[in-house]
């Protein structure tokens, strides 16, 4: 069609009768937000929030470092008279139970939190009734409902693969948490190549997703599984390359060593976190965050599920606890990425400012509180993305990865090399 033949469309006309919703005020649908502090319930909510934050800080100051409690528990087991091999196995079982408990508790918390965040973004209240205070028990009751639901397997499905798929998906997620730091020296296992270990295990879960899509006997599930495989394998590359500058700065693959490399403050007050390293630090943080959102199949990269196209993608034919295991895996990987972001770029368990000298040391906030706070901040970003950005098309998602994210993650390694060279000459950050 030539430009002369291009159809001429009428100019859009604003409906003046209700146009004030678009031009008259930005506080629609209520004028209450023009001065929210005049509302008693707004002030009460602020007091509740301040009380919760102060309460968590007080509990943290009272409990202290959790790693010290772990050493006391191990010493108690050693004095119990049990053989050393039995003590070692009991200690492994205790740590495995703690990791699984963290993943399950995170699933309950994250689903409730996402419901509240999405509700407030859409001018709703979200869960308000179950359990009383802001519907805190809603997810617990939903979990009980899932436990009681019938496990339905389609007649056309591969029965064995359909059963194994959610297990293959969730098991690597649990294993990937082994070296993850929850505070200073607070991890289930100390692994010198912890970064490599986490990336290796986290990449196995895609096999469970592909198995779920293939074994369901459903074309929508199969398409979802294939999309997930293509997406996760593609974004694994820029995600890995985005961490290389961090490894160059810390000169180690050990998560505890990366945490320690960011200790201290420039000029006595400015944190030496890797995110503040010029250019390379900020780009690495952004690339790792975007690739992590894609790796966890979260919006705007949720094409493996894509409800409007594939019903529910690879888990369309799953119900009950088998279905909930896929969601537990998704939120588990969101938590894993949040803790990795905190360790790689936000100083791990370090405080953003040095501890004031006029406050006694025993009143200091322990590292696990800071680490968890930073991880929750990153998790909020994941949830905020879902309810803010529209879903990309398949071609857009792949173009963004191969034509932008991957080349720039390569280039960022060069920027980091320049910083390391300047540091070796005594000019750069160190």
């Amino acid at each position: 069609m030539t430009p002369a033949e291009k159809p001429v469309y009428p100019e859009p006309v604003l409906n003046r009768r209700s146009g004030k919703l678009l031009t008259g005020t930005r506080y629609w649908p209520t004028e209450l937000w023009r001065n929210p502090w005049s509302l008693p319930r707004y002030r009460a909510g602020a007091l509740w929030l301040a009380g919760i934050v102060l309460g968590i800080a007080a509990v943290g100051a009272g409990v202290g470092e959790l790693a010290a409690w772990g050493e006391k528990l191990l010493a108690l087991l050693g004095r119990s008279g049990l053989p050393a091999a039995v003590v070692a196995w009991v200690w492994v079982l205790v740590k495995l139970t703690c990791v699984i408990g963290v993943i399950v508790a995170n699933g309950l918390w994250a689903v409730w939190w996402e419901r509240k965040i999405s509700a407030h973004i859409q001018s709703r209240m979200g869960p308000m009734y179950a359990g009383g205070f802001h519907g805190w028990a809603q997810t617990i009751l939903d979990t009980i409902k899932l436990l009681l639901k019938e496990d339905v397997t389609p007649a056309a499905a591969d029965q064995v693969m359909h059963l194994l798929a959610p297990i293959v998906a969730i098991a690597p997620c649990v294993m990937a948490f082994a070296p993850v730091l929850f505070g200073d020296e607070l991890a289930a296992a100390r692994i010198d190549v912890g970064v490599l270990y986490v990336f290796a295990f986290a990449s196995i879960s895609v096999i469970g997703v592909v198995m779920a899509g293939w074994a369901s006997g459903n074309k929508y599930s199969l398409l979802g599984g294939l999309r997930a495989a293509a997406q996760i394998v593609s974004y694994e590359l820029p995600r890995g390359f985005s961490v290389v500058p961090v490894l160059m700065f810390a000169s180690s693959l050990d998560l505890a060593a990366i945490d320690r490399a960011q200790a201290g403050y420039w000029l006595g007050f400015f944190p030496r976190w890797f995110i503040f390293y010029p250019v390379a630090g900020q780009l690495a943080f952004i690339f790792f965050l975007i690739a992590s959102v894609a790796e966890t199949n979260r919006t705007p990269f949720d094409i493996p599920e894509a409800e409007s196209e594939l019903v529910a993608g690879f888990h369309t034919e799953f119900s009950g606890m088998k279905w909930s295991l896929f969601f537990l895996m998704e939120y588990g990987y969101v938590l894993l990425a949040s803790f990795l972001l905190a360790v790689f770029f936000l100083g791990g368990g370090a405080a953003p400012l040095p501890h004031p000298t006029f406050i006694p040391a025993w009143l200091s906030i322990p590292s696990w509180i800071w680490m968890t706070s930073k991880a929750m901040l990153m998790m909020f970003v994941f949830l905020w993305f879902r309810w803010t950005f529209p879903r990309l098309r398949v071609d857009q998602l792949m173009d963004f990865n191969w034509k932008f994210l991957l080349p720039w993650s390569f280039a960022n390694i060069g920027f980091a090399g320049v910083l390391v060279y300047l540091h070796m000459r005594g000019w750069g950050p160190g």
Side-chain angles (χ1 to χ4, degrees):
M1 181 180 293
T2 63
E5 297 172 334
K6 187 176 180 180
V8 178
Y9 298 106
E11 290 293 328
V13 178
L14 179 66
N15 184 349
R16 295 294 175 187
R17 185 174 180 181
S18 57
K20 65 180 182 180
L21 298 181
L22 302 175
T23 62
T25 177
R26 67 183 179 88
Y27 297 104
W28 183 86
T30 173
E31 293 293 318
L32 295 176
W33 291 107
R34 188 177 294 278
N35 186 13
W37 288 103
S38 64
L39 303 173
R41 62 176 183 272
Y42 193 86
R43 296 194 295 270
L47 287 175
W48 266 101
L49 183 60
I52 291 172
V53 172
L54 291 175
I56 293 174
V59 169
V63 172
E65 293 293 345
L66 290 180
W69 288 96
E71 293 173 1
K72 291 178 181 177
L73 180 59
L74 180 59
L76 188 64
L77 283 173
R79 294 194 297 269
S80 63
L82 294 172
V86 175
V87 170
W89 279 106
V90 170
W91 188 234
V92 169
L93 189 62
V94 168
K95 291 192 286 188
L96 180 62
T97 304
C98 291
V99 170
I100 294 176
V102 167
I103 294 174
V104 173
N106 169 68
L108 297 175
W109 153 256
V111 171
W112 175 85
W113 200 26
E114 178 153 27
R115 286 177 172 176
K116 298 299 289 187
I117 290 173
S118 63
H120 284 276
I121 288 176
Q122 299 167 351
S123 296
R124 297 185 289 111
M125 298 299 289
M128 289 298 292
Y129 299 104
F133 181 75
H134 282 270
W136 63 271
Q138 183 66 55
T139 316
I140 298 174
L141 297 178
D142 287 343
T143 304
I144 295 173
K145 180 190 73 176
L146 284 170
L147 284 169
L148 299 176
K149 288 187 73 172
E150 180 184 3
D151 177 27
V152 179
T153 304
D158 185 310
Q159 304 293 320
V160 176
M161 291 296 176
H162 195 270
L163 174 65
L164 290 178
I167 300 172
V168 174
I170 189 69
C173 178
V174 177
M175 296 300 294
F177 269 90
V180 172
L181 285 176
F182 296 98
D184 289 346
E185 304 297 333
L186 184 63
R190 179 71 184 273
I191 301 176
D192 292 342
V193 290
V195 177
L196 189 62
Y197 173 93
V198 171
F199 276 66
F201 269 96
S203 61
I204 297 176
S205 288
V206 68
I207 297 175
V209 173
V210 175
M211 285 172 60
W214 178 81
S216 294
N218 180 315
K219 60 184 178 183
Y220 298 114
S221 300
L222 180 60
L223 280 173
L226 293 176
R227 282 186 177 186
Q231 176 176 326
I232 293 175
V233 171
S234 299
Y235 276 83
E236 193 71 30
L237 295 174
R239 194 186 193 210
F241 287 126
S242 66
V243 179
V244 173
V246 172
L247 306 182
M248 294 168 68
F249 297 151
S251 303
S252 176
L253 284 165
D254 186 352
L255 289 169
I258 294 172
D259 182 22
R260 289 194 300 272
Q262 301 172 77
Y265 302 88
W266 285 307
L267 304 176
F269 70 95
F270 197 82
R272 301 160 63 99
W273 301 349
F274 288 152
I275 193 175
F276 295 123
Y277 279 43
V279 184
Q282 293 89 48
L283 289 179
F285 172 79
I286 293 171
F287 295 160
F288 186 81
L289 175 61
I290 294 174
S292 296
V293 175
E295 287 277 302
T296 51
N297 295 335
R298 301 280 302 179
T299 306
F301 305 102
D302 63 333
I303 61 167
E305 299 175 20
E307 296 89 347
S308 57
E309 305 169 28
L310 302 178
V311 189
F314 59 89
H315 56 69
T316 300
E317 301 293 353
F318 287 83
S319 60
M321 281 309 295
K322 286 199 291 190
W323 175 84
S324 64
L325 284 178
F326 284 114
F327 267 74
L328 205 60
M329 174 198 71
E330 177 179 320
Y331 284 104
Y333 278 125
V334 170
L335 182 69
L336 177 69
S338 301
F339 273 103
L340 290 180
L341 282 162
V343 174
F344 287 156
F345 302 103
L346 303 179
L353 292 172
H355 185 72
T357 55
F358 58 86
I359 297 179
W362 60 271
L363 278 178
S364 61
I365 298 175
S367 61
W368 61 273
I369 293 283
W370 287 118
M371 183 79 83
T372 307
S373 301
K374 295 170 185 176
M376 289 301 103
L377 175 64
M378 291 295 98
M379 181 178 280
F380 172 79
V381 174
F382 276 78
L383 306 185
W384 169 64
F385 275 7
R386 176 175 180 181
W387 301 99
T388 303
F389 298 111
R391 177 185 302 136
L392 297 178
R393 295 196 314 261
V394 177
D395 59 319
Q396 292 172 332
L397 182 141
M398 288 300 174
D399 280 354
F400 180 71
N401 177 66
W402 293 104
K403 296 180 180 178
F404 176 79
L405 209 56
L406 185 60
W408 277 104
S409 62
F410 275 129
N412 197 39
I413 295 175
F415 299 152
V418 173
L419 281 183
V420 172
Y421 173 76
L422 292 175
H423 170 66
M424 293 174 64
R425 301 294 298 266
W427 297 336

